[in-house]
Amino acid sequence: MARPRGFDEDRAIDAAMRAFWTAGYEATSTQDLCEATGLGRSSIYNTFKSKHDLFEKALDRYTEERNAAIAEVLDGPLPIREKIRTLLWQSVEPHAGDPLGCLVVNSMIELAPHDPEIAERLRRDRDWRTEALRAALDAGRRAGEIGADKDPRTLADFFVAAVSGMRVAARGGAGRPTLESIAATALTVL
């Protein structure tokens, strides 16, 4: 009979997610993961097949949480301009205690060029975000909230890139005034 786990796997994934988000995949050692999760090496490797397996679970957790927040905004009652403003401002004012930047963007740069599994996960995530934005922008256009000459797909691609760029800028040291000006400028395309 297998011995029951003495830890919460979800909490371990959350802690690993933050470690990877802060330092990146390559720079996060097994010892870093042990310290972040409070688990020993054997518990990590008995529960998660490898560092890569744990990273995949952490990346999935990150995208599920972020996409749920995006869906909540886009499915809400606000006019499209306010929905987009809300999403942009999440990059200006991230949740307290969150590491700078974005685990998805960091992973696109660090891992996607040489890790096909991660590249595919990130492509599916980008496609989901783009389609969710496109649908909301299309609804806003049909409601007369944005000009009929505006292409929802082009706008969706632009806003996905703008948010990613803002996350990179924040990680690179851009302060709130810079991020606010980027967000305000992005809103002018609507």
Side-chain angles (χ1 to χ4, degrees), residues 15-62:
M17 177 185 75
R18 290 183 145 332
F20 289 126
W21 186 358
T22 300
Y25 178 78
E26 294 295 334
T28 302
S29 67
T30 303
Q31 184 58 40
D32 294 331
L33 292 170
C34 290
E35 290 170 12
T37 62
L39 301 174
R41 285 178 187 269
S42 62
S43 292
I44 287 177
Y45 286 111
N46 287 334
T47 305
F48 310 103
K49 294 177 250 172
S50 63
K51 175 181 165 181
H52 195 271
D53 179 58
L54 178 53
F55 177 77
E56 287 176 341
K57 287 178 176 30
L59 182 60
D60 288 347
R61 172 72 48 86
Y62 181 89

Side-chain angles (χ1 to χ4, degrees), residues 69-71 73-74 82-92 133 163 167:
I70 290 169
V73 171
L74 294 178
E82 286 305 306
K83 290 176 181 182
I84 298 298
R85 182 190 183 288
T86 299
L87 294 177
L88 290 166
W89 246 254
Q90 290 174 355
S91 295
V92 173
L133 279 164
V163 168
R167 299 288 184 162

